[in-house]
Amino acid sequence: MAEIRTTIYSRELQKLIFPDNSFYKKSIGETGVADKTEQVEKPVQTPISKAKEGKPDSLPLSVETSTDSKKTYNTTLIYSKPLLIDSQSELLVNYNKRQSKMEQQAAEINTKVAAYTMAHWSPTKEANILKTSGSARASNIMGFTSQRKAVTKEDLLKVLNLIMRMGVSSMGGNWYGMVTADMYTDLLSIPEFVDYYKTGNESRLKEGIIGRILGVDIFQRSTEEGHCGLLYNGKTPLSGDAEVKDSLLSGALFWNEKMVCRAEGRLRTVINENAPGYLGGTIIESFTRYGADIIRDDQKGVIALLEDKA
């Protein structure tokens, strides 16, 4: 019985931790790789010579050698603090209690995975970091005391212009944006912004996408502090669960799903029934390995739009 319960529990928890509507699913995935190595290698295409026109000067044509490069990124251990179910009978007969504990563990691990992803998808190149330019408004992010500049239509057009100049459309893939709650309410004041709640398009809503503007599908998530997981100290991205100080900047992240990657390890759940010293209680612990990165060294395919200080 213990082995069966462990298998069922792991399977159900896996669905909660890696749901289909998670924003970090919008990337190139390397499922299972994280279990085998602490580093993941991803091949990256290198440029080749431009096509030529007209009759060549001589034959045979010279031959060029094309060698692709590789991108290496790390994986890390992500785990939830072990939980104690104070009665084995409750685990067996009370589905609601087991479900609530599953959701607690899933939420903690999922939040950490999201924070890790946002930090490792955030660009560091100055050309990829833009600033908002709207009117001053208060920030609802806990830890921010100074006013920030609202996002405007012109700011979004700058993002679109940079997207087009990056020239990654040939690689395919959709563009996505993750915004703060403050930025999303800014967007709702822009007439051209199309709200899926108004259009009745439920297929995108089920994926966690709340809107679309300038060809970019918009996600919105909020941490306890009120930002979406994007934090910068100057031009240096911080972990999405770092301490929030007024000296930091927050904002939105835009990415092409073919230009970022993730490595998901297999979730492992250990159930210790009748744990010594816990009066017959059951201890449950879950952990996995995970990694995320920008694929290209030139960081094409990722853009940060930070709320500038007013």
Side-chain angles (χ1 to χ4, degrees), residues 16 80 83 99-109:
L16 289 169
S80 177
L83 293 175
Q99 181 72 14
S100 68
K101 296 306 177 184
M102 288 169 55
E103 291 175 353
Q104 282 182 303
Q105 286 187 319
E108 290 301 321
I109 294 179

Side-chain angles (χ1 to χ4, degrees), residues 13-231:
L13 189 59
Q14 183 86 14
K15 293 177 182 178
L16 289 169
I17 290 180
F18 296 127
D20 289 339
N21 63 357
S22 294
F23 75 89
Y24 48 81
K25 288 288 189 179
K26 306 303 182 182
S27 59
I28 296 177
E30 302 287 348
T31 304
V33 176
D35 293 323
K36 303 174 183 178
T37 179
E38 293 184 354
Q39 284 193 330
V40 180
E41 290 187 356
K42 191 73 182 172
V44 179
Q45 286 186 338
T46 55
I48 61 174
S49 298
K50 295 181 179 180
K52 299 183 181 298
E53 177 186 356
K55 184 178 179 180
D57 295 332
S58 62
L59 294 174
L61 297 174
S62 60
V63 178
E64 128 180 76
T65 300
S66 177
T67 303
D68 288 341
S69 61
K70 65 180 180 180
K71 176 76 171 182
T72 302
Y73 63 100
N74 297 326
T75 64
T76 187
L77 177 67
I78 294 179
Y79 60 94
S80 177
K81 189 174 181 179
L83 293 175
L84 172 65
I85 306 296
D86 56 9
S87 171
Q88 180 181 347
S89 62
E90 286 187 281
L91 178 62
L92 297 176
V93 302
N94 190 330
Y95 178 79
N96 289 335
K97 182 169 185 178
R98 188 187 72 176
Q99 181 72 14
S100 68
K101 296 306 177 184
M102 288 169 55
E103 291 175 353
Q104 282 182 303
Q105 286 187 319
E108 290 301 321
I109 294 179
N110 206 23
T111 297
K112 188 63 180 178
V113 167
Y116 185 93
T117 302
M118 291 293 285
H120 287 77
W121 285 2
S122 297
T124 57
K125 290 188 177 296
E126 186 173 359
N128 293 24
I129 302 175
L130 306 178
K131 300 285 185 65
T132 57
S133 61
S135 58
R137 57 153 170 77
S139 174
N140 290 303
I141 297 176
M142 296 174 60
F144 285 178
T145 56
S146 60
Q147 290 190 323
R148 309 291 162 131
K149 295 180 181 180
V151 61
T152 66
K153 177 182 176 182
E154 287 70 26
D155 296 330
L156 294 176
L157 290 176
K158 290 179 182 179
V159 172
L160 177 61
N161 183 275
L162 182 54
I163 287 175
M164 294 188 293
R165 286 188 286 115
M166 282 182 171
V168 299
S169 58
S170 61
M171 300 296 294
N174 296 321
W175 277 87
Y176 297 93
M178 175 66 74
V179 303
T180 67
D182 287 342
M183 295 183 83
Y184 185 61
T185 53
D186 291 340
L187 294 175
L188 290 179
S189 67
I190 300 175
E192 291 83 355
F193 182 74
V194 179
D195 183 354
Y196 277 93
Y197 288 107
K198 296 176 183 177
T199 62
N201 188 334
E202 295 184 357
S203 61
R204 292 290 191 179
L205 287 174
K206 291 177 181 178
E207 297 179 4
I209 297 169
I210 59 174
R212 183 177 177 84
I213 186 168
L214 301 178
V216 179
D217 287 324
I218 303 297
F219 285 90
Q220 197 283 316
R221 67 181 291 267
S222 291
T223 62
E224 292 182 358
E225 293 80 10
H227 59 80
C228 68
L230 189 77
L231 286 174

